[in-house]
Amino acid sequence: MSQPKKILVGEDSSIIINLTKNVLAFENYEMTAARNGKQVLEKLQNEDFDLILMDISMPVLDGIACTKMIREMKDEKKSNIPIIAISGNIHNMTHEDFRKAGFDDFIQKPLDYDRVLATVKKFLN
C-alpha cells in the first residue's frame, strides 16, 4: 500500500483542527497542525508535506505572509507545494487576489467538509 499523503494545516482554532483531522483521517490522509504561520514554516522546513491548508487569519504570522515566504523558498518541492487558503472573509478578496498571494485554491469558512475533501483530492489524486 502507498504511504498516506501528508497535509499540513495552518489553523489557530482547535475545533477546526480536530474536525479537519477527523475528516482527513477518514480518507487516509495524515495531518499535522500548526497554530500560526511561523509554526507552518518551521514544520515545512523539517518535514515534507503533499499539501497545505492555510487559514488566512492566524496570530504571529498570517496565512498570506506565510504563503509568500513558502513561495520564495529555495527548495522547489517546498516552494511549489499546493496551498489552499481557508478564509472567513473571502468576500474581501477575489479569486485573483488569492492567486496573486500564491494560493492554488481557496475554501470559505464555515468549512463544508465535503468541499474540503473534494478540493484536497483535486490536488493529491
Side-chain angles (χ1 to χ4, degrees):
M1 229 176 113
S2 64
Q3 290 280 62
K5 298 284 187 182
K6 293 173 65 176
I7 299 174
L8 178 57
V9 177
E11 170 63 61
D12 57 331
S13 163
S14 298
I15 294 167
I16 292 175
I17 288 170
N18 290 330
L19 286 170
T20 305
K21 188 170 195 158
N22 290 334
V23 170
L24 293 174
F26 186 73
E27 292 290 331
N28 200 32
Y29 294 123
E30 191 178 293
M31 189 194 105
T32 300
R35 295 196 172 266
N36 60 58
K38 184 173 179 282
Q39 287 181 4
V40 168
L41 292 173
E42 288 166 359
K43 289 180 187 295
L44 191 57
Q45 291 286 356
N46 299 319
E47 245 182 287
D48 286 332
F49 293 93
D50 298 295
L51 181 136
I52 299 174
L53 289 171
M54 180 88 72
D55 186 17
I56 298 295
S57 304
M58 290 186 292
V60 185
L61 182 66
D62 70 52
I64 293 172
C66 182
T67 296
K68 287 180 178 173
M69 293 169 85
I70 291 168
R71 295 299 184 221
E72 292 170 0
M73 288 180 162
K74 288 182 173 51
D75 181 334
E76 280 191 29
K77 184 175 184 214
K78 293 183 190 290
S79 68
N80 291 317
I81 190 170
I83 304 175
I84 301 167
I86 300 171
S87 177
N89 68 346
I90 207 162
H91 298 296
N92 296 342
M93 289 180 74
T94 65
H95 292 270
E96 190 58 28
D97 292 334
F98 279 104
R99 300 242 186 273
K100 283 181 183 168
F103 294 100
D104 295 285
D105 208 335
F106 58 88
I107 303 169
Q108 184 172 355
K109 286 182 180 177
L111 293 178
D112 169 346
Y113 283 97
D114 289 332
R115 170 106 194 268
V116 171
L117 282 177
T119 305
V120 166
K121 286 178 180 179
K122 182 168 77 173
F123 289 95
L124 295 185
N125 291 343

